[in-house]
Amino acid sequence: MEVGGGSGPGWDKLLYMFEEGNARMRQILGGKGANLAEMTRIGLPVPPGFTITAQACVYYSATGSFPSGLDEALDDGIRALERRTGKSFGGEGEPLLLSVRSGAAVSMPGMMDTILNLGLNDRTVRGLAGATGDLRFALDCYRRFLTMFGNVVLRIPHDRFEDRLSAEKARVNARYDVDLGPESLERLCGEYKQLIRASSGSDFPQDPRQQLAMAVRAVFESWNNPRARVYRQVNRIPDDLGTAVNVQCMVFGNTGSDSGTGVVFTRDPATGARELYGEYLPNAQGEDVVAGIRTPRPISQLAGDMPQVYQELVRLCELLERHYADIQDIEFTVEHGRLYVLQTRAAKRTAAAAVKAAWDMAQEGLLSREEAVLRVDPDQVVKLLHRNIDPRAKLEVLATGLPASPGAASGRVVLDADRAEELGQQGERVILVRPETTPDDIHGIVAAQGVLTSRGGMTCHAAIVARHMGKPCVVGCDAVRVEPDSRELRIGERRLREGDLISIDGATGRVILGEVPLVEPELSPEFQGILAWADEFRRLKVRANADTPQDAQKARSLGAQGIGLCRTEHMFMDAGRLPVMQEMIMAETEEERKRALDRLLPMQQKDFEGILKAMEGYPVTIRLLDPPLHEFLPNVEELAVEVAKGRLLLELEGGDAGPSGGAGAAGEGGARVGRSSRAISPGDLARKEEVLRKARALAEFNPMLGLRGCRLGIVYPEIYHMQARAIFLATAALRRAGIDARPEIMMPLVGHPRELEVTRALVQQAAEEVRRETGVDVTCPIGTMIEVPRACVAADRVADHADFFSFGTNDLTQTTFGFSRDDAEGKFLPIYLEQGILRDNPFAVLDGDGVGVLVEMACRLGRKTRPDLKLGVCGEHGGEPRSIALFHRFGLDYVSCSPYRVPIARLAAAQAQLRETVGEREKVGE
C-alpha cells in the first residue's frame, strides 16, 4: 500500500514505508532510511516502519511548520503499521510502540536525536505489562521514554533525570539500573512526570499522536542543534540537506536474559582486520551500549550466551558486507531469542582500517582496483601518519583503559569541553578527560589532542568520534576518577590537577604521566599497494615543497616526483650565514654588496648541490629570493630598545668618569650600574645604530606588496645573478660527476611581462657564463610563480617569456581577496565561516569561484601562447584533495605540497582522474 502523499514545495511524497524505498534514495530518505528500506527489500529481519523525507525537514527548518499533508501522511503510516503488526497505537491491549530516529544523507553519528518507546502513557504501560506479563519491563520502558522525551523534546537537562535515578539506586542499594524493581521504577516514573511539569509548565502528553508529532518536530530541530552544526562544519557537510526521520516499530532488548542489544562491525574499524568487532549488553536497550552506563560484553561472548543468535548475526554480517561491498556498522536487538537488525551503515573507521579494508576487499574480489582507490578518503590518509610513543622511552604508566582510536598524544588535562576549546584556540595542547563524552562535547573533542574517558566501551560516543577525527582515544579506564568540583583527576592513588601534563596511547590504552617522546609512523604494505594503484590511474604528477636535502629525501621516499618549490630565503637564516646576508643588505655600494654576495655564493652552491643530488633524475624548481630584505634584519622595535639601553649604559659609565670625579651618591650609584650592567662597547653600539638605521630605511607600510619578489632582482640584479650562478655551478659540478641534476628557476611575484623578460635575461647571462667557465651546458627551464591577479589576466603575454607557470595560491588568494592571511585568520575569517559568508577557509581550500577562475584563465591564456607551457601549483592548496580536483580539471601538469602530504596528493589526483572517467562513461551512457 502506498502512503505518504502530500503537497509541498516540489515533492509528491513526504513519507515512504520501508518497503517502498531502496539504497539509492539517500538524498530523500537519508542514509539510515535508505538502508532500512534496502534491508527490508532483500528480506532481512527489520522491524517495520516508515521514513519522513529529508525535504520535509528542509521545509520545517525554513518555515517552522510541517509541510501540508504531513499530518495526514503520519496517520496513514501509523494505520499501515497497526495493520502490519496487529497492535494499536495508544491501545490498552497490546500497544504499538515506536522509535523515532534521525537519519541524514551523510552519516552524523550521535549528532542528532533519538526517542525510544514512544506511545507509552499511564494507560498503555499497563497494557504493555499485561501483554508481556512483565510489569518491571513495562515500567522500565516507560521511565526510559519519559527521560528521552523530557530531554530531547522538552529540552530538560538529562542530568536532572539521572540525578533522580542515582538517588533511587542509592536508596535501595542497587548497583545497576537492571537491579531496580517495579516499585522503584514506578516511583521514578512519577518523579519524572513531576519534573516535566515543573520544568516545562505542562503535563507530560498522554496522547501518543501528540507525542509523535512533537518527537518529529524535535528531530527536525536537532538538525540545527549546536553539536550537529559543529560536526557539519568540521566534516564539510552542507547545512541545507536536512535530516529524514525514521519511525519504526519497537523491539525490546530489555525483556530478560534471552534478550539484548548491541553494535557490531563486520571488520575491525581500528585496524581493518577481517573479524567481527563490537559489543552487546544483555537485557538492555540500544542507548545503554553507546551511553557507557554499563560495561558491554565483547561480541564474541554472544557465541556462548546465545549461540543460534550469534550464528545468525555472523550470516547477516557477511551478507550485508557483500551487498554493500563495504565495512558495515550494524545495530541489532535480540528479543526473546529473535534477532532484529535496526540499522546498517558504512562504518566510520580509522585511516589504517580504511586502507587495509580497501586493499583486502580488492584481493577478495569485492572491489575493483579503481573502487579500492576511490574508497580511501584522502583527507583521512594524513591520519595514517600518526606518531606513536618511542618504544625506547621510559614511561610511568598510570592506568590502562580500552584502546579506542590509535595514535599517541600529550597535553594538559582539561575536564570539560568548553575549557578544551578555549585553551585549544590559544594554541595549548590539551587532553580532554571526561567520565564519558556526549554529543555536546564535540567542540572540545575537535580542540583536543586526544580523549580519555573513565567509562564506555569501544563503540561509545568518544570512541566513534575520535576514530573518525583521527585523534588518539582511550575509553573505559576504570582507574580514572574525574572530580569536577575540585578540578582534579584521580588515577589510582595519584592526584592530578587540571593543567597537569599527561599522555595517552590510543593503540594500547595506556595513560602515562607527563609528556612522552613520539616517533614517526611507517606506511603499511597495503597503503603502499593502494598508492601504487593510484599512481597508475592519475594524470597529475606530484612534487613536494622542500628546502633541504633531508626534506627532499623524505619527499622522495613518500613518492614525490620532484621539487615544486625550493625556497632559497630559508637557506640564509642559518646562524653562520645570517651575518653575511646582513652584511650584504647593509652594503652602501654595489661593490660592497658584491663582496658579500661572493661569500654567500659557495654556501648557496653547496645547498643546491645537496638538494639537486637528493632529487637526481627529477626536476627541482628553485625560487629566487622572494621576501623583503628587512626580514633578514633584527626586529626594528627590539633593536631600538637595545640601542636605547646601550646609549643609557654608556652615558652612565661616562658620568662615573666625569670631570668632577663623581663622588656623590648618584655618581656612585651610576658607577655601580655601569660596572655591573655594561653589555656593549661604543663600537658595538655604533654597529647596532647603523643596522637600526638601515632596517628603518627598508621598512615598508605593506611589505607583502613592497620591494620583494622579482622586484628585488630588478633593483638589485647582483642578488639574482649570484643565486643563478650558484645554481648553475652546482648543476655543472653534479653533471660532471655523472649525476642527473635537473634545476628549474622560478621568478617570484611577476605581474608584468617585462619583469619576467628582464630577470630571465639575467639568469640566462649567468648560465652562459658558467657554460663558458665549465664547458657544461647548464641551460634549464625558466618560469614564474603566478601570485597576483594581473599575471593571470596577462598570462598570454607573460607566457612569451616563460617555460612554465607555477601558481602560488597562498599569495594569489591574499591578493585576490584583498586579505592579509594572518589578520584574516586571526580576526574575521572564523566569523565569515560561522555566518556562512564563506563555506571554507580560502587559504585551506581553493576558492573555486574567485581564485580558481583566475587560475583557469591563466592556464587557458598561457597555453594559447605556448601550447607546451608546463603548469603546476606550489601553494598549500597543492596538498588539499578538493583543490587538487580543481587543478586536475584546469589541466595542470603537477601539484606540489609539503612532503608529508605527498601520499594524500597522489591519492587525490588518482581519484580526480577516476571520477572524471566515470563521469565521461555516464555521459556516453546517456
Side-chain angles (χ1 to χ4, degrees):
M1 174 185 175
E2 183 175 296
V3 298
S7 62
W11 321 301
D12 296 326
K13 203 166 169 62
L14 297 168
L15 184 150
Y16 290 78
M17 304 304 292
F18 287 169
E19 55 267 27
E20 296 179 297
N22 59 61
R24 296 185 299 276
M25 298 175 68
R26 294 180 67 89
Q27 296 302 315
I28 299 171
L29 304 179
K32 187 179 297 180
N35 285 334
L36 286 167
E38 184 74 4
M39 289 190 293
T40 300
R41 189 182 67 80
I42 63 177
L44 298 189
V46 176
F50 56 79
T51 300
I52 303 166
T53 66
Q55 287 74 18
C57 174
V58 173
Y59 183 87
Y60 181 87
S61 297
T63 66
S65 61
F66 283 172
S68 174
L70 181 56
D71 287 320
E72 293 81 0
L74 282 171
D75 288 339
D76 290 344
I78 293 298
R79 282 193 289 270
L81 292 181
E82 288 177 325
R83 285 192 295 272
R84 176 83 176 270
T85 63
K87 299 178 181 180
S88 173
F89 192 50
E92 296 183 33
E94 189 173 1
L96 174 66
L97 302 183
L98 304 172
S99 66
V100 181
R101 301 180 182 222
S102 62
V106 180
S107 179
M108 296 170 55
M111 294 303 109
M112 292 176 289
D113 291 325
T114 293
I115 300 162
L116 304 180
N117 305 316
L118 187 142
L120 283 173
N121 57 30
D122 293 347
R123 299 185 317 279
T124 57
V125 69
R126 301 300 169 187
L128 180 62
T132 60
D134 191 338
L135 176 61
R136 190 213 169 274
F137 157 71
L139 290 169
D140 185 48
C141 291
Y142 196 19
R143 70 97 187 165
R144 290 171 184 269
F145 174 49
L146 288 166
T147 301
M148 284 186 153
F149 193 90
N151 175 235
V152 172
V153 178
L154 303 177
R155 299 181 182 176
I156 301 169
H158 188 267
D159 290 348
R160 296 189 186 179
F161 295 95
E162 285 298 305
D163 289 345
R164 285 159 175 77
L165 176 61
S166 297
E168 181 63 22
K169 287 195 291 187
R171 192 183 73 80
V172 299
N173 198 28
R175 184 177 181 186
Y176 296 117
D177 303 357
V178 293
D179 299 328
L180 293 174
E183 289 183 4
S184 290
L185 293 169
E186 188 150 23
R187 185 179 300 108
L188 277 173
C189 289
E191 291 181 9
Y192 285 1
K193 284 183 285 186
Q194 291 174 6
L195 172 62
I196 287 172
R197 179 174 179 79
S199 300
S200 69
S202 301
D203 287 329
F204 168 74
Q206 295 286 323
D207 180 2
R209 280 176 165 73
Q210 182 185 359
Q211 294 172 2
L212 178 60
M214 293 173 72
V216 170
R217 285 190 179 91
V219 174
F220 281 165
E221 289 168 4
S222 73
W223 173 253
N224 284 313
N225 70 36
R227 64 179 185 264
R229 294 182 72 88
V230 169
Y231 188 91
R232 290 201 296 275
Q233 184 176 357
V234 170
N235 292 281
R236 302 180 186 134
I237 298 170
D239 285 328
D240 58 0
L241 293 179
T243 179
V245 180
N246 299 288
V247 178
Q248 189 172 22
C249 294
M250 284 292 303
V251 288
F252 299 96
N254 56 332
T255 55
S257 59
D258 63 347
S259 302
T261 188
V263 176
V264 64
F265 294 81
T266 56
R267 303 192 188 215
D268 189 324
T271 68
R274 191 180 180 186
E275 57 190 16
L276 291 191
Y277 174 99
E279 297 165 325
Y280 86 103
L281 274 173
N283 196 20
Q285 285 199 330
E287 75 270 19
D288 296 336
V289 178
V290 295
I293 296 166
R294 290 163 55 194
T295 301
R297 300 178 183 180
I299 198 67
S300 57
Q301 195 168 328
L302 185 62
D305 295 343
M306 304 181 203
Q308 290 183 326
V309 170
Y310 181 75
Q311 290 303 318
E312 176 68 3
L313 181 64
V314 170
R315 185 188 72 81
L316 288 177
C317 286
E318 291 174 351
L319 187 155
L320 286 169
E321 184 174 272
R322 286 198 306 272
H323 186 79
Y324 287 101
D326 199 0
I327 306 177
Q328 294 300 293
D329 169 1
I330 301 166
E331 292 181 17
F332 66 91
T333 286
V334 182
E335 182 181 84
H336 292 310
R338 184 176 178 185
L339 177 67
Y340 293 92
V341 183
L342 306 183
Q343 173 175 294
T344 191
R345 60 188 173 196
K348 301 294 182 186
R349 67 204 77 174
T350 65
V355 167
K356 179 168 175 54
W359 174 264
D360 287 350
M361 286 182 173
Q363 306 305 314
E364 296 161 18
L366 287 176
L367 298 176
S368 67
R369 295 193 309 164
E370 291 86 350
E371 289 169 330
V373 168
L374 287 167
R375 182 62 57 81
V376 180
D377 181 357
D379 280 324
Q380 203 180 15
V381 164
V382 70
K383 299 164 190 172
L384 269 182
L385 305 174
H386 276 305
R387 295 174 297 173
N388 294 298
I389 296 173
D390 188 334
R392 297 164 296 183
K394 292 183 178 179
L395 308 175
E396 185 175 348
V397 178
L398 300 175
T400 301
L402 300 175
S405 183
S410 298
R412 300 195 178 279
V413 170
V414 292
L415 302 182
D416 65 75
D418 292 341
R419 182 68 173 155
E421 182 180 51
E422 177 187 347
L423 292 177
Q425 290 174 347
Q426 296 172 13
E428 287 274 2
R429 293 180 297 116
V430 300
I431 303 293
L432 178 62
V433 185
R434 302 281 289 148
E436 71 267 344
T437 65
T438 71
D440 290 326
D441 292 321
I442 182 71
H443 58 296
I445 299 173
V446 169
Q449 302 296 306
V451 181
L452 168 64
T453 71
S454 58
R455 298 200 289 265
M458 302 289 278
T459 54
C460 71
H461 175 266
I464 291 172
V465 174
R467 274 199 299 269
H468 182 52
M469 292 184 178
K471 291 179 183 286
C473 180
V474 175
V475 301
C477 190
D478 294 332
V480 172
R481 292 289 180 270
V482 177
E483 298 177 358
D485 292 340
S486 62
R487 310 303 291 177
E488 290 185 341
L489 180 69
R490 283 178 57 186
I491 305 180
E493 297 302 314
R494 186 173 299 266
R495 187 177 291 273
L496 301 177
R497 292 187 177 277
E498 191 169 44
D500 288 345
L501 278 169
I502 64 168
S503 301
I504 60 172
D505 183 352
T508 65
R510 292 178 296 176
V511 181
I512 302 153
L513 183 66
E515 191 167 4
V516 298
L518 303 176
V519 294
E520 301 301 325
E522 295 181 1
L523 300 185
S524 69
E526 291 88 354
F527 188 35
Q528 291 175 350
I530 291 283
L531 288 175
W533 290 345
D535 292 341
E536 292 179 25
F537 302 140
R538 64 185 166 90
R539 177 188 60 76
L540 276 173
K541 294 186 180 299
V542 178
R543 300 189 189 182
N545 301 338
D547 308 327
T548 68
Q550 294 76 21
D551 285 347
Q553 288 164 356
K554 171 55 71 174
R556 188 164 187 160
S557 73
L558 292 171
Q561 298 165 287
I563 300 298
L565 176 61
C566 173
R567 292 158 286 216
T568 56
E569 57 270 15
H570 291 181
M571 302 171 179
F572 295 119
M573 301 307 291
D574 179 84
R577 302 179 185 192
L578 190 55
V580 185
M581 185 68 176
Q582 291 175 343
E583 180 185 327
M584 186 273 293
I585 295 169
M586 297 295 297
E588 295 293 338
T589 67
E590 182 178 338
E591 196 58 38
E592 289 177 355
R593 193 155 39 250
K594 283 184 176 178
R595 281 200 297 270
L597 289 168
D598 286 343
R599 292 171 60 195
L600 286 171
L601 188 147
M603 302 177 191
Q604 283 267 272
Q605 181 179 340
K606 185 178 179 181
D607 293 330
F608 296 137
E609 285 180 8
I611 200 163
L612 287 165
K613 184 177 181 181
M615 294 304 293
E616 179 182 7
Y618 285 121
V620 176
T621 304
I622 301 167
R623 183 180 71 186
L624 299 187
L625 193 65
D626 181 36
L629 294 178
H630 74 81
E631 289 193 8
F632 298 97
L633 297 178
N635 178 274
V636 171
E637 292 181 3
E638 294 174 0
L639 191 56
V641 170
E642 288 183 32
V643 167
K645 285 181 178 178
R647 286 172 179 165
L648 177 61
L649 290 172
L650 287 179
E651 286 173 8
L652 289 172
E653 223 174 47
D656 183 39
S660 65
E668 290 174 3
R672 283 196 298 272
V673 171
R675 283 193 297 271
S676 62
S677 303
R678 177 174 177 176
I680 192 167
S681 69
D684 287 340
L685 178 60
R687 280 189 289 273
K688 284 183 179 288
E689 289 176 328
E690 180 60 20
V691 173
L692 178 60
R693 182 192 65 78
K694 189 71 172 182
R696 281 175 169 161
L698 290 171
E700 297 175 300
F701 288 109
N702 191 342
M704 184 199 157
L705 301 178
L707 181 56
R708 56 165 287 212
C710 66
R711 302 157 197 168
L712 274 174
I714 292 171
V715 175
Y716 301 112
E718 56 273 18
I719 297 177
Y720 275 19
H721 184 264
M722 179 278 290
Q723 288 194 294
R725 275 188 61 82
I727 293 168
F728 292 135
L729 287 169
T731 302
L734 291 172
R735 288 180 178 174
R736 281 200 301 261
I739 294 170
D740 183 10
R742 300 186 184 182
E744 299 178 343
I745 295 180
M746 182 161 66
M747 309 301 175
L749 214 70
V750 165
H752 193 286
R754 276 287 291 160
E755 290 175 320
L756 183 56
E757 184 180 9
V758 169
T759 50
R760 181 185 180 98
L762 190 68
V763 169
Q764 289 175 323
Q765 177 188 343
E768 180 58 23
E769 290 172 5
V770 172
R771 185 194 66 77
R772 288 197 303 266
E773 294 168 17
T774 65
V776 178
D777 182 3
V778 290
T779 303
C780 75
I782 300 170
T784 181
M785 285 186 85
I786 302 291
E787 304 170 84
V788 295
R790 192 185 195 284
C792 296
V793 299
D796 50 347
R797 285 164 288 153
V798 174
D800 282 329
H801 312 287
D803 299 313
F804 64 88
F805 286 171
S806 180
F807 293 92
T809 51
N810 301 340
D811 276 358
L812 186 57
T813 298
Q814 292 195 91
T815 54
T816 300
F817 274 95
F819 287 172
S820 160
R821 178 172 186 172
D822 292 339
D823 293 326
E825 291 188 324
K827 294 178 180 175
F828 61 84
L829 261 185
I831 297 171
Y832 272 42
L833 295 172
E834 183 180 331
Q835 295 186 5
I837 295 172
L838 292 174
R839 181 173 172 182
D840 297 292
N841 180 343
F843 296 105
V845 180
L846 189 75
D847 166 44
D849 295 333
V851 179
V853 172
L854 289 173
V855 172
E856 188 174 28
M857 177 191 298
C859 293
R860 185 178 69 254
L861 292 175
R863 281 192 170 150
K864 180 180 178 183
T865 299
R866 291 195 60 166
D868 62 343
L869 184 72
K870 185 161 58 178
L871 301 171
V873 59
C874 59
E876 291 179 25
H877 300 96
E880 196 282 317
R882 287 181 290 165
S883 306
I884 290 170
L886 286 175
F887 297 136
H888 173 87
R889 199 180 82 202
F890 297 159
L892 269 64
D893 297 297
Y894 69 86
V895 296
S896 188
C897 55
S898 64
Y900 281 102
R901 293 197 73 86
V902 165
I904 300 167
R906 291 165 64 189
L907 186 60
Q911 292 183 349
Q913 178 67 59
L914 289 170
R915 289 192 175 105
E916 180 182 84
T917 303
V918 169
E920 289 172 354
R921 287 175 184 164
E922 288 175 350
K923 287 179 182 178
V924 170
E926 291 172 0

